[in-house]
Amino acid sequence: MKILVINAGSSSLKYQLFDMSTGAVLAKGLCEKIGLTGAITHKRPGKETYEEDYPMPTHNEAIALVLKLLTDPELGVIESVDEISAVGHRF
């Protein structure tokens, strides 16, 4: 089972994707400057960190980018968002 945990702030969105069967963090990252210039940092264990300035006028674009990166053939860690069993948000 894979769980996506999100922590959305006023101009940021942090995320971690966990594989609950092993307790491993598959990927984590940070979308920042949402509503301004926008930037993302995407990390996968044992792989090079991906960093890019990316326009994110709202949190909608930020979460869409996170899902795109998680499923990307080169940068992703899952083949489909259907692999995510649950999403949690810290309030």
Side-chain angles (χ1 to χ4, degrees):
M1 176 190 307
K2 295 179 178 81
I3 307 286
L4 179 61
V5 178
I6 305 261
N7 181 359
S10 60
S11 64
S12 67
L13 185 145
K14 297 175 189 168
Y15 64 94
Q16 289 192 38
L17 180 65
F18 293 93
D19 182 340
M20 298 309 291
S21 64
T22 63
V25 175
L26 301 176
K28 65 181 179 178
L30 169 65
C31 298
E32 54 188 339
K33 303 179 201 167
I34 297 172
L36 302 169
T37 56
I40 188 161
T41 302
H42 177 70
K43 299 178 181 184
R44 300 155 295 146
K47 308 270 182 159
E48 190 172 321
T49 298
Y50 173 80
E51 296 178 290
E52 177 120 22
D53 290 337
Y54 196 94
M56 290 176 259
T58 71
H59 284 74
N60 289 336
E61 290 82 9
I63 194 64
L65 178 57
V66 168
L67 295 174
K68 180 180 173 185
L69 286 173
L70 290 174
T71 58
D72 183 85
E74 292 180 28
L75 299 170
V77 294
I78 57 176
E79 289 186 27
S80 167
V81 293
D82 293 335
E83 293 181 44
I84 300 172
S85 300
V87 177
H89 183 272
R90 183 185 154 257
F91 287 97

